[in-house]
């Protein structure tokens, strides 16, 4: 194979460097610019810590919800095709196609106190908007297709012969799902989980609108970083950004591993 | 255990795939469902297994109606054409799957799996994974896995189609031996008439969702009930509007009370030699000669001969059937 020219290689390095490495390095440099002592103090900022806890609470609910929905809808679309499931298959990508701000506005329209469903919840004494449930709703919405888009092609490729063989061997549907189906799609689902995790942690626009961005109460880590920059507390913002960047790096490594495993699985021939 | 089905009808999206099919498979027999692709044979097999619901009709195992019984309770061994190995499980775990479902104790399970692996001659591959095995080995694994639950009936969907010719021939006779050893009622789907005739006790020939004929392979070959069966089971040719197998005809010197014809083509295929002749009425007939017969006669293009039915055939049997087309 011909080696790429020095010019091409330098171009790629400069491009990636300018876009990715330099800004990321800048975040690290800024966050540590006042020394470790200041950094340690900044880590214990009350508003930021509450924001981290809220972000984690959102992840803990939104990611499993998305996995359940993603795997379930994939099984439905692939194993029990119908006009309705084909329709869902098409519209499931909408959250990726529309701007998060619009997602936020749609949710507000629907769940506000005087909104379509919001009034019903309000009558039951439940407040959805500007609270934890709204943030989870927005997070699930924007990451809706991330699991199923990974799982659907693999389910199609694996086919249903293994599942049907297990049935003739006497296995019940639940056993078939956990011993055969889940084993086939585990790495695809894991890849979807890491994508969801990254998206949920990083979501800004939709969450900004539905949460109300109330410091100490409905502010996620991403919102907290934004708020710090806006209130000229850039240093605190960089510390938050550093934490988020570190999580992203860890998630990226995970994605790399999952994708590698997935590709190896796909290279294994069927017959 | 015997298998019977009656009035089985199935359509997919308005297309009739099986049209009121009925048959009985006797205990211990190996039946081949033979037909071209799209004849409905695989669908019928899946219906017997309970993997595809039927529109109307009944399926019974040993007289017990299982029409509404789910696949997992039918106690049937089913092998797919692609063998459907559980890819994340070792060979041993694949074979053990059905026993695990039945909660067979670990020690007993191991013993039974070892015995099955010996039966299919895969002991030394016990801890390998499906992708490390050849097609033939995967097929034997699928058989062992199906036999593990001691099924009442074994259903095989195109079991040899994905194998190369040599492995196919080996496995075919091996499966036949195994089936007789285990003594299990078996239904096998195939589109290969040579395979069906070699392996089966009984043929069921399907075409466009209907059974054309059922019976012993040699009987069906010699006495095809329909034109379709005659042409599907082997080559046919016609002389004077009557159909024959090409080896039932012979060419002789002009006269002798035979139809006269002119040689238009001689095709030598090793042991057999095909001589294509144009009759005086314009019809084309072909005669199959052995290598020695051809050497003796030495027919050449443009030479004129008489065609007649071999005396052994003419005295014993009636012709196949009338009004059948020239060879395909």
């Amino acid at each position: 194979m011909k080696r790429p020219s020095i010019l091409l290689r330098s171009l790629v390095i400069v491009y990636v460097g300018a876009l990715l490495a330099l800004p990321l390095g800048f975040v690290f440099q800024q966050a540590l610019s006042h020394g470790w002592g200041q950094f340690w103090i900044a880590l214990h900022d009350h508003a930021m810590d509450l924001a981290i806890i809220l972000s984690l609470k959102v992840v803990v609910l939104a990611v499993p919800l998305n996995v359940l929905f993603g795997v379930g809808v994939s099984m439905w679309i692939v194993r029990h095709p119908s006009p309705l499931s084909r329709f869902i298959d098409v519209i499931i990508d909408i959250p990726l196609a529309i701007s998060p701000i619009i997602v936020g506005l749609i949710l507000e329209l629907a769940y506000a106190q005087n909104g379509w469903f919001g009034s019903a919840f309000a009558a039951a004494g439940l407040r959805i908007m500007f609270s934890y449930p709204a943030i989870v709703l927005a997070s699930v919405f924007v990451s809706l297709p991330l699991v199923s888009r990974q799982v659907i092609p693999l389910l199609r490729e694996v086919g249903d012969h293994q599942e049907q063989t297990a049935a003739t061997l006497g296995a019940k549907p639940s056993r078939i799902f956990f011993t055969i189906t889940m084993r086939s799609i585990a790495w695809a689902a894991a890849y979807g989980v890491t994508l969801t995790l990254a998206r949920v942690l990083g979501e800004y626009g939709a969450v900004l609108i539905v949460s109300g961005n109330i410091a100490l109460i409905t502010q996620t880590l991403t919102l907290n970083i934004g708020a710090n920059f806006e209130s000229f507390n850039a240093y605190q913002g960089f510390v938050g950004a550093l934490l988020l960047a570190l999580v992203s790096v860890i998630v990226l490594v995970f994605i790399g591993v999952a994708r590698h495993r997935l590709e190896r699985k796909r290279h294994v021939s069927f017959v | 255990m015997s298998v019977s089905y009656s009035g089985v009808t199935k359509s997919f999206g308005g297309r009739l795939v099986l049209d009121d099919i009925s048959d009985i498979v006797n205990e211990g027999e190996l039946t081949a469902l033979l037909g071209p692709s799209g004849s409905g044979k695989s669908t019928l097999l899946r219906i017997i297994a309970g993997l595809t619901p039927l529109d109307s009709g009944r399926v019974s195992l040993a007289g017990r109606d299982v029409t509404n019984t789910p696949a997992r309770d039918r106690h049937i061994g089913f092998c797919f054409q692609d063998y459907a190995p559980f890819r994340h499980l070792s060979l041993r775990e694949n074979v053990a799957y059905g026993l695990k479902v039945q909660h067979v104790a670990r020690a007993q399970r191991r013993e039974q799996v070892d015995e099955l692996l010996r039966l299919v001659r895969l002991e030394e591959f016990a801890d390998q994974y499906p992708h490390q095995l050849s097609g033939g080995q995967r097929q034997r694994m699928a058989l062992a896995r199906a036999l593990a639950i001691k099924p009442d009936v074994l259903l095989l969907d195109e079991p040899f189609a994905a194998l190369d010719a040599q492995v196919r021939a080996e496995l075919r006779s091996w499966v036949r031996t195994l089936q007789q050893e285990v003594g299990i009622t078996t239904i096998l789907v195939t589109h290969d008439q040579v395979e069906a005739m070699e392996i089966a006790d009984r043929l069921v020939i399907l075409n466009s969702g209907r059974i054309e004929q059922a019976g012993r392979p040699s009987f069906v070959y010699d006495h095809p009930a329909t034109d379709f069966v005659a042409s599907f089971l082997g080559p046919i040719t016609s002389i004077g509007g009557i159909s024959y197998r090409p080896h039932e005809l012979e060419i002789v010197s002009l006269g002798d009370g035979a139809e006269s014809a002119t040689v238009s083509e001689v095709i030598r295929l090793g042991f057999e030699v095909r001589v294509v002749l144009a009759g005086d009425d314009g019809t084309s007939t072909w005669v199959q000669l052995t290598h020695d017969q051809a050497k003796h006669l030495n027919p050449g293009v443009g030479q004129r001969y008489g065609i007649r039915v071999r005396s052994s055939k003419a005295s014993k049997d009636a012709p196949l059937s009338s009004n059948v087309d020239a060879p395909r």
Side-chain angles (χ1 to χ4, degrees):
Chain A
M1 198 167 68
K2 194 170 170 284
R3 292 181 65 179
S5 71
I6 292 181
L7 181 71
L8 183 61
R9 271 185 286 174
S10 333
L11 258 173
V12 169
I13 288 168
V14 168
Y15 192 76
V16 172
L19 271 174
L20 218 75
L22 267 180
L24 207 63
F26 183 68
V27 167
F28 275 71
Q29 188 255 326
Q30 284 296 309
L32 298 169
S33 60
H34 299 315
W36 290 102
Q38 274 297 316
F39 180 70
W40 186 250
I41 293 166
L43 275 185
H44 292 81
D45 177 77
H46 186 54
M48 191 182 82
D49 290 352
L50 285 181
I52 290 173
I53 290 169
L54 179 62
S55 276
L56 290 179
K57 276 163 73 177
V58 171
V59 163
V60 163
L61 190 59
V63 172
L65 271 179
N66 207 1
V67 171
L68 278 180
F69 173 80
V71 172
V73 88
S74 303
M75 291 288 288
W76 184 43
I77 287 170
V78 179
R79 295 287 185 254
H80 308 281
S82 64
L84 184 61
S85 75
R86 271 187 283 275
F87 177 67
I88 297 286
D89 191 18
V90 173
I91 65 162
I92 202 172
D93 281 336
I94 284 180
L96 286 189
I98 56 178
S99 162
I101 297 279
I102 297 172
V103 173
L105 290 173
I106 291 170
L107 288 176
E108 183 163 351
L109 216 61
Y111 290 99
Q113 299 272 9
N114 52 356
W116 303 324
F117 324 124
S119 46
F121 282 107
L126 285 171
R127 185 189 157 92
I128 303 287
M129 282 312 282
F130 313 125
S131 67
Y132 173 67
I135 302 173
V136 173
L137 261 176
S139 302
V140 169
F141 196 102
V142 295
S143 55
L144 198 66
L146 294 179
V147 172
S148 57
R149 277 290 158 256
Q150 301 306 316
V151 171
I152 285 173
L154 196 66
L155 269 182
R156 287 225 168 93
E157 198 180 303
V158 170
D160 57 3
H161 286 180
Q162 291 182 58
E163 290 162 10
Q164 293 184 342
T165 300
T168 63
L169 292 172
K172 288 195 178 74
S174 60
R175 188 185 189 108
I176 295 172
F177 179 75
F178 287 111
T179 61
I180 307 293
T181 316
M182 223 27 223
R183 292 292 295 266
S184 311
I185 60 172
W187 280 105
Y191 185 38
V193 164
T194 51
L195 290 177
T196 306
L197 188 73
R199 184 75 206 259
V200 168
L201 275 179
E203 178 53 35
Y204 190 82
V207 170
L208 180 71
I209 290 180
V210 302
S211 72
N213 196 9
I214 308 160
L216 308 176
I217 300 169
T218 65
Q219 203 170 61
T220 63
L221 180 55
T222 321
L223 294 180
N224 175 258
I225 294 166
N228 276 326
F229 278 113
E230 275 167 16
S231 57
F232 306 105
N233 192 359
Y235 176 68
Q236 188 64 45
F238 278 120
V239 172
L242 173 68
L243 290 180
L244 211 53
L246 278 178
V247 173
S248 300
V249 169
I250 294 169
V251 167
L252 266 178
V253 169
F254 225 90
I255 289 177
V257 172
R259 204 163 59 180
H260 180 71
R261 293 294 298 258
L262 195 62
E263 271 161 15
R264 250 186 34 195
K265 246 199 146 81
R266 284 190 174 185
H267 283 152
V268 172
S269 66
F270 286 76
V271 178
Chain B
M1 189 174 282
S2 67
V3 178
S4 67
Y5 45 91
S6 58
V8 171
T9 301
K10 175 74 186 175
S11 44
F12 287 115
R15 199 174 65 87
L16 194 59
V17 177
L18 290 173
D19 184 7
D20 193 18
I21 297 244
S22 305
D23 189 35
I24 297 171
V25 178
N26 291 323
E27 163 129 35
E29 254 183 10
L30 197 164
T31 295
L33 297 178
L34 177 64
S37 56
S39 57
K41 55 195 192 301
S42 284
T43 304
L44 178 57
L45 199 73
R46 292 176 57 88
I47 285 174
I48 297 169
L51 295 173
T52 297
L54 38 64
D55 295 342
S56 62
R58 322 275 336 151
V59 178
S60 305
L61 300 176
R64 179 173 60 104
D65 189 318
V66 295
T67 311
N68 298 313
T69 308
R72 67 169 183 274
D73 297 325
R74 290 199 186 187
H75 213 56
I76 271 177
F78 193 97
C79 292
F80 283 98
Q81 181 176 356
D82 62 4
Y83 323 129
F86 301 144
R87 293 192 292 160
H88 56 284
L89 298 179
S90 71
L91 202 89
R92 176 186 298 285
E93 291 165 327
N94 262 279
V95 177
Y97 191 90
L99 298 174
K100 249 181 162 167
V101 170
Q102 293 178 347
H103 304 294
V104 174
R106 181 187 289 267
Q108 203 185 340
R109 204 164 68 211
R110 196 173 173 91
E111 200 176 297
Q112 288 181 26
V113 170
D114 282 342
E115 195 188 315
L116 280 158
L117 288 176
R118 260 197 306 281
L119 185 71
V120 299
R121 297 177 300 188
L122 286 173
E123 313 97 295
E124 64 208 278
F125 302 100
D127 295 314
Q128 305 230 348
Y129 283 79
H131 67 92
Q132 297 171 297
L133 303 176
S134 71
Q137 289 168 334
R138 258 178 263 175
Q139 207 238 17
R140 284 185 273 146
M141 182 225 77
L143 271 172
R145 182 175 61 185
L147 290 173
I149 59 168
K150 298 197 168 63
D152 300 323
V153 180
L154 189 59
L155 305 178
L156 310 173
D157 190 3
E158 296 273 8
F160 312 111
L163 302 170
D164 59 58
Q166 200 190 335
V167 181
R168 193 185 311 167
E170 266 174 42
L171 268 178
R172 210 190 278 164
S173 61
W174 178 80
V175 164
R176 179 58 169 154
T177 315
L178 181 75
Q179 186 265 336
Q180 284 172 338
E181 230 170 78
V182 181
I184 185 170
T185 312
T186 302
I187 304 176
L188 171 150
V189 160
T190 180
H191 63 270
D192 181 340
Q193 74 280 5
V194 177
E195 180 174 298
M197 305 235 284
E198 179 184 322
I199 200 171
D201 296 311
R202 195 160 159 279
L203 298 184
V204 174
I205 295 157
L206 282 148
N207 182 35
S208 311
R210 291 176 156 277
I211 294 182
E212 295 270 337
Q213 192 176 2
R216 306 262 149 210
S218 57
F219 181 84
V220 176
Y221 184 81
D222 288 336
H223 306 281
T226 65
D227 294 349
F228 173 81
V229 174
S231 61
F232 192 71
L233 283 186
I236 48 171
T237 190
S238 67
I239 176 168
I242 300 172
S243 297
Y244 295 95
R245 301 265 180 231
H247 62 82
E248 292 169 347
L249 301 178
E250 63 181 345
I251 52 180
V252 292
S253 312
L254 277 178
D256 288 353
E259 303 256 343
S260 53
T262 312
V263 175
S264 56
E265 202 179 0
V266 180
I267 306 164
R268 296 172 191 279
L269 302 162
F271 176 72
E272 87 177 58
V273 176
R274 286 181 195 170
V275 182
V276 185
L277 302 108
D280 293 344
D281 55 353
T283 59
S284 174
T285 304
W286 66 293
V287 178
Q288 184 180 316
L289 303 178
T290 64
H291 186 263
D292 287 351
Q293 288 167 341
K295 208 169 174 182
H296 177 70
L297 269 167
N298 196 21
V301 173
Q303 290 177 350
R304 287 182 59 76
Y305 288 99
I307 309 174
R308 70 176 183 202
V309 180
R310 280 184 195 284
S311 50
S312 59
K313 172 74 185 175
S315 59
K316 256 169 53 191
D317 297 305
L320 281 172
S321 62
S322 53
N323 304 321
V324 180
D325 296 329
R328 292 171 301 158

